Structure formats: structure tokens, C-alpha cells
Amino acid sequence: MKKKRMAAAALLAACFLTGCKAGPQSADSMDHKEISEELVWESSMELRYATEFQVDTYEGGYELLTIVQDGRYLVVPEGKEAPADLSEDIVVLKQPIEHIYLVASAVMDMFVSLDALDQVGFSGLKADSWYIDGAREAMEQGEILYAGNYSAPDYEQIVSKGCGLAVENTMIYHTPEVKEQLEKLNVPVLVDYSSYESNPLGRTEWVRLYGILVGKEEEAKKAFEEEVRAFEAIEQEEKTGSTVAFFYISTNGEVNVRRSSEYLPKMIGMAGGSYVFDHLGDGEDTASSNVTMQMEEFYTAAKDADYIIYNSTTTEELTSMEDLLEKSGLLEKFQAVQEGRVYCTTKNLYQSSMELGTIISDMHKMLTGEDDMTYLYRLE
């Protein structure tokens, strides 16, 4: 408290002597950053792409995580206590945070990259639904237990193991009573909003938030920078001008494509290509990232695409061109099919949130005729 008063007095004295005015930064520092009389604000994390969260650091190792559309969480270092005068809206998370119930599937890859699976106790997916090797193996060995999905968690199991945090995706708001029940059982709930980032690399930057939770901030920063470098390696190259369709065909024969504002179409653009449905869904007020259309409509829009990528993450992986053509006879008339520029994604594409830079690089390799890709492969 004495430090804060001295700092404030020094600031006032400097302004008196120089005639300075309090600008936006000083007003901000004296507003939301002062969350307790016991804590002295030190700095805010500089984020390169992410806009959906913020991090403020306080003396003594305390860190305030602000998820823009969700809430505030104060991470308290091991052996220390939370200030008594915190606002009721701030959720206290005491380190070490153990036996985490991880429901947001995009977050698991971040924990793997941080070598922090030992802090995950429960999963919202079963072992055979994971395409991340580390997660699946940990579940098969009983190190991570299945505790039900977001709408039907096993409360008894979660509480009995001393779960320190539930990391949910935004689906939890479809069943708000589950969130309320977890909180009544003293299990804090953090909702992951990484999928709301406008820049694909903003999604990956959320690893820095989770790095704070598990006490591995430097490891998180390094992991994120590796993906940035993968993207920067192709960022300066010229656009190819090639058009790309990204889709899959459902069991009833309908075609599922991505809205142009969604992160995968943006990644195609970052890789140097052009998404064929470049204005699809613009201006529509919807939370869905997908659009369903009939094959004839898809054919009209995408038949001249230079490349087509079949999305196998929600269906089976295709092994040959014959597998693709079995889904619709119209596909044989597509330019990309006739010229042999058809690719398929691997099953782990969506769960690989720490590999978005690499996925962009793969797309660039596809557009420039290179091989040695990780998340795409050509259909023969």
C-alpha cells in the first residue's frame, strides 16, 4: 500500500512540474488494473494476435487473466493467499492447479506442447476421440480419466479427485445449469474463447494464457513463437492467385463448407490462395461456422477451383480418388479432379491448435507444388 501511494505521489509531482495531463494509459492503469489495495500492478502482457484475452501481472507473481467475453481470474502463486478485498466477480485460482477437467478439445494440444498433461485429470472426450497422441495415450494408461462431456459431467468423480479447474468451450452456455453446478461444488469454470479470435494465430496465442495456469510461461511463449516463425517463413511470398474449395460431403449427400469469416478460409488466404466462397455468410448473425448446400449449388461455385481440399476431420479419411468420386458423380467434372489437384486433411487437423502456423505452411506447399506436408496429403 505504501508503495502505491509513493508511486502515485511521484506521478502527481512529475505532472505538476511538467504540466503533463493524464492520458488514456494512466487513466487505464488507475482503473481496472487496480483490483486490490494489497496488489501493485507491474505490467500487461504484449500480445501479437490474440484480442479475446488480456493478462496483467502484479508484484509477488500474481496474474490477472481477463477473458473479454467471459470474466476475470486471479492466479495466485503457490504458498500465497488471495487478497481479501477482491471484487466478487474475480475467480481465484490457486497454484498448483491440478486435476483439470478439460472439455475444450482445442486446448489439449496446448497442454501437450507445454508438457503439462500431468495437470489434466479429466477429459470431456473418450480416448478413441482424441487424435493427439499424447492425450490418447494418457487416457489409455489411466492417467487422464473420462468424466463425461460438457452437458453431462460426472460430478462425483470430478469432485472426489479435487478438480482445480474446468476448462470448457462455449457450448457450456447451452447448458448453463452445468456451469452453475460445477461452481456450487467449488470447481472454478474457465470458458475458452480462442475460437472467437479473428486471426488464426490468435487462437494459437492462447497457449500463453494456459502457460500461466500451469506455471510454464516461458515454455508457452517459445511454443507460440515457433508457430509464428512457420507462418512468417511464407508471409512475404507473393500470392499464388489459385482458388481453393474446402468441404466435406455428409451421409445424406449435402455439401458442408466453411463461412468465409471462419479461420480455415482465412488460413487459405494467409497461405497465398483464394477461398472460392469468399463472401459466404457475410453479414449473417450466426454462431455457426458452417454452411450446408446441395451438390448442384456447390458444383456451380467450385467446379473451376484450382484446388479442392476434402475435410476428413468429421468423416473418414479418404485413401484414394475413387473414395472421393464415390461420394458424388459430379465431382469427376471438377477442374481440380481432372488435373489431379485434390487433397485431403488428416483427422487431427482441428485438434492441432498449436500447429496453425504449420497448417498454413502446408497449404502454401500445396499451392506451390511442394511435398512433405504434415496435415494435408494428395489423393491419387
Side-chain angles (χ1 to χ4, degrees):
M1 184 67 188
K2 184 176 179 181
K3 275 188 179 180
K4 287 171 68 176
R5 287 175 177 164
M6 290 175 65
L11 178 63
L12 287 171
C15 285
F16 177 77
L17 293 172
T18 61
C20 70
K21 296 180 181 179
Q25 185 175 3
S26 58
D28 184 60
S29 297
M30 300 299 287
D31 186 10
H32 81 274
K33 292 173 183 176
E34 288 201 2
I35 59 173
S36 167
E37 291 291 319
E38 301 175 34
L39 297 180
V40 179
W41 177 82
E42 286 187 335
S43 63
S44 296
M45 180 181 286
E46 292 186 11
L47 298 170
R48 293 187 61 173
Y49 298 99
T51 59
E52 295 295 325
F53 77 91
Q54 302 164 6
V55 178
D56 289 296
T57 301
Y58 296 80
E59 285 187 5
Y62 293 83
E63 297 193 83
L64 182 71
L65 313 179
T66 301
I67 298 178
V68 176
Q69 302 191 56
D70 183 40
R72 299 188 291 173
Y73 304 80
L74 182 67
V75 181
V76 178
E78 186 173 3
K80 297 188 178 182
E81 296 297 326
D85 61 345
L86 284 178
S87 170
E88 289 185 2
D89 74 290
I90 298 178
V91 178
V92 174
L93 302 174
K94 289 188 176 182
Q95 292 179 319
I97 304 169
E98 298 177 317
H99 307 296
I100 294 170
Y101 173 39
L102 205 161
V103 182
S105 60
V107 177
M108 184 66 84
D109 198 29
M110 299 183 184
F111 277 76
V112 171
S113 72
L114 296 173
D115 192 23
L117 282 183
D118 58 334
Q119 290 177 248
V120 178
F122 308 99
S123 167
L125 292 179
K126 294 181 179 179
D128 59 4
S129 295
W130 283 114
Y131 300 103
I132 298 172
D133 292 341
R136 186 180 61 256
E137 290 166 5
M139 294 197 71
E140 290 172 347
Q141 295 167 11
E143 296 167 0
I144 298 177
L145 305 176
Y146 176 65
N149 63 22
Y150 76 95
S151 63
D154 185 336
Y155 297 111
E156 184 177 353
Q157 181 177 213
I158 292 168
V159 173
S160 67
K161 297 289 186 180
C163 175
L165 176 67
V167 179
E168 302 274 355
N169 56 37
T170 55
M171 292 292 287
I172 192 65
Y173 289 118
H174 292 294
T175 55
E177 66 277 6
V178 172
K179 184 174 184 290
E180 293 171 7
Q181 182 61 23
L182 285 168
E183 290 169 341
K184 284 180 181 177
L185 295 170
N186 295 318
V187 177
V189 178
L190 182 150
V191 180
D192 177 81
Y193 272 85
S194 61
S195 64
Y196 282 64
E197 293 291 348
S198 59
N199 187 301
L201 289 174
R203 290 181 167 221
T204 302
E205 196 162 14
W206 275 67
V207 70
R208 301 187 66 187
L209 180 146
Y210 294 108
I212 291 170
L213 293 178
V214 300
K216 295 191 175 186
E217 291 186 53
E218 285 305 312
E219 293 90 334
K221 185 176 181 180
K222 289 178 182 177
F224 171 65
E225 290 299 333
E226 285 180 9
E227 286 307 298
V228 172
R229 284 193 293 272
F231 165 63
E232 289 177 341
I234 55 120
E235 185 180 22
Q236 302 304 320
E237 299 193 21
E238 292 184 10
K239 298 291 186 182
T240 66
S242 298
T243 53
V244 182
F246 186 92
F247 71 104
Y248 74 85
I249 300 174
S250 64
T251 54
N252 62 6
E254 292 181 326
V255 182
N256 186 287
V257 300
R258 292 281 171 156
R259 295 183 185 278
S260 56
S261 59
E262 207 265 341
Y263 81 107
L264 275 162
K266 288 182 178 180
M267 289 167 67
I268 290 170
M270 294 166 77
S274 176
Y275 185 53
V276 292
F277 300 102
D278 56 349
H279 297 295
L280 186 65
D282 284 1
E284 292 185 21
D285 186 16
T286 176
S288 174
S289 59
N290 303 318
V291 175
T292 300
M293 60 180 64
Q294 297 301 313
M295 174 55 76
E296 291 74 15
E297 182 183 358
F298 177 69
Y299 170 75
T300 300
K303 62 183 174 64
D304 295 323
D306 296 305
Y307 295 84
I308 60 176
I309 301 175
Y310 190 81
N311 176 15
S312 70
T313 57
T314 55
T315 61
E316 75 287 354
E317 284 190 8
L318 305 182
T319 59
S320 67
M321 189 73 79
E322 287 72 22
D323 287 346
L324 176 68
L325 297 180
E326 284 178 5
K327 295 183 176 294
S328 173
L330 268 180
L331 288 167
E332 195 168 3
K333 298 182 180 181
F334 280 57
Q335 175 181 310
V337 172
Q338 295 174 355
E339 297 179 358
R341 292 195 294 269
V342 180
Y343 290 77
C344 187
T345 69
T346 56
K347 293 289 288 184
N348 58 346
L349 182 80
Y350 285 156
Q351 292 181 3
S352 301
S353 57
M354 283 306 299
E355 300 288 329
L356 297 191
T358 302
I359 295 169
I360 293 170
S361 178
D362 278 357
M363 290 177 173
H364 180 72
K365 288 178 180 179
M366 176 193 75
L367 294 169
T368 54
E370 297 179 50
D371 296 318
D372 190 30
M373 293 175 283
T374 304
Y375 295 96
L376 296 176
Y377 59 92
R378 186 197 293 264
L379 290 181
E380 303 289 349

